[in-house]
Amino acid sequence: PETAGQSCLQLQLQGFSRAIASQGRPAGKQILIAVTERLRQCAATHSHAVPLARVGEAAFALLVSGDALGLAEKIQAAVNTPIPYEGMALEVVTRIGVSQSAGTFEARFREAMAACEQVNRVCGGVLPFSMALAERLRRDLLIESRLRHAVTENALRLVLQPKLDLRSEQVVGAEALVRWQDAELGMVSPADFIPIAERTGQIRPIT
């Protein structure tokens, strides 16, 4: 079918694997049945919303014309409602990425997936893809690549920042800080590279 002008939504369920680990595969099946039905109901209330596919163990995608963000918020509210199962309530947190670009279907799907991955995994939420997000992802990938080189070449530097007692105006200690000056990226803030080091496992050689 023609997809030009349609937005792509990608939805991922946090808590799905936890439910299977604690309650078994039947619980996971119940979650998928309930979520699929809720997606169908939300799509039915929105003109030109086309259920596209289940694209992962706990991931779905939709093609949408019109108010994609409005539908995404409606889906989030519906799917986040606890799911009854054997006298208990199974809870999942929904992360939804939205691409509203004019690119190819493949590009929109990729952008929606990238946005979805950036949504908070604890709170969930809806995040539209943007050029600012694309630039941040590009820079994060470059930092990850350059960080491996920096760790291998021992390019990170440890500096000591004095701690001052304001009452006595005496130095009472020092805080060890990691600094990184990269030839391509310039001075890279620890706020930028430490989370990437933790995510990729490079934090061990740094610490």
Side-chain angles (χ1 to χ4, degrees):
E2 180 60 49
T3 66
Q6 291 183 312
S7 301
C8 183
L9 276 61
Q10 183 162 146
L11 175 151
Q12 294 187 11
L13 306 175
Q14 291 298 122
F16 179 75
S17 296
R18 183 178 67 248
I20 291 177
S22 63
Q23 302 299 322
R25 283 285 170 185
K29 182 178 179 180
Q30 182 61 32
I31 290 174
L32 292 176
I33 291 172
V35 168
T36 300
E37 177 60 21
R38 292 174 186 183
L39 285 174
R40 187 192 65 77
Q41 291 175 355
C42 288
T45 65
H46 187 92
S47 60
H48 308 299
V50 182
L52 178 63
R54 179 183 172 197
V55 294
E57 184 181 36
F60 299 83
L62 298 171
L63 286 177
V64 180
S65 296
D67 184 10
L69 292 177
L71 178 60
E73 291 172 356
K74 183 183 295 186
I75 287 173
Q76 184 190 27
V79 175
N80 282 5
T81 302
I83 298 168
Y85 177 74
E86 294 189 351
M88 65 183 71
L90 301 176
E91 295 190 14
V92 293
V93 173
T94 313
R95 297 185 291 132
I96 304 177
V98 182
S99 170
Q100 299 172 293
S101 74
T104 64
F105 165 71
E106 289 77 10
R108 280 173 280 154
F109 181 83
R110 186 172 61 250
E111 290 168 356
M113 180 170 62
C116 186
E117 287 297 323
Q118 298 306 305
V119 177
N120 188 292
R121 293 176 181 270
V122 177
C123 304
V126 176
L127 180 66
F129 186 84
S130 65
M131 294 308 298
L133 176 59
E135 175 59 27
R136 179 158 64 84
L137 293 174
R138 187 201 67 79
R139 178 173 169 79
D140 284 354
L141 188 61
L142 181 58
I143 289 175
E144 181 180 337
S145 175
R146 297 292 297 173
L147 183 59
R148 288 193 177 92
H149 177 76
V151 171
T152 301
E153 298 298 319
N154 197 28
L156 302 181
R157 295 291 177 262
L158 183 67
V159 298
L160 297 178
Q161 178 172 293
K163 290 183 177 181
L164 184 67
D165 186 316
L166 296 179
R167 288 177 297 181
S168 65
E169 297 185 348
Q170 298 294 315
V171 174
V172 295
E175 181 180 8
L177 303 173
V178 178
R179 291 289 180 262
W180 176 25
Q181 177 75 37
D182 182 75
E184 184 174 348
L185 295 168
M187 180 62 73
V188 185
S189 169
D192 291 332
F193 72 81
I194 291 298
I196 293 174
E198 291 174 339
R199 187 181 72 241
T200 60
Q202 298 182 76
I203 194 66
R204 283 190 176 183
I206 292 176
T207 56

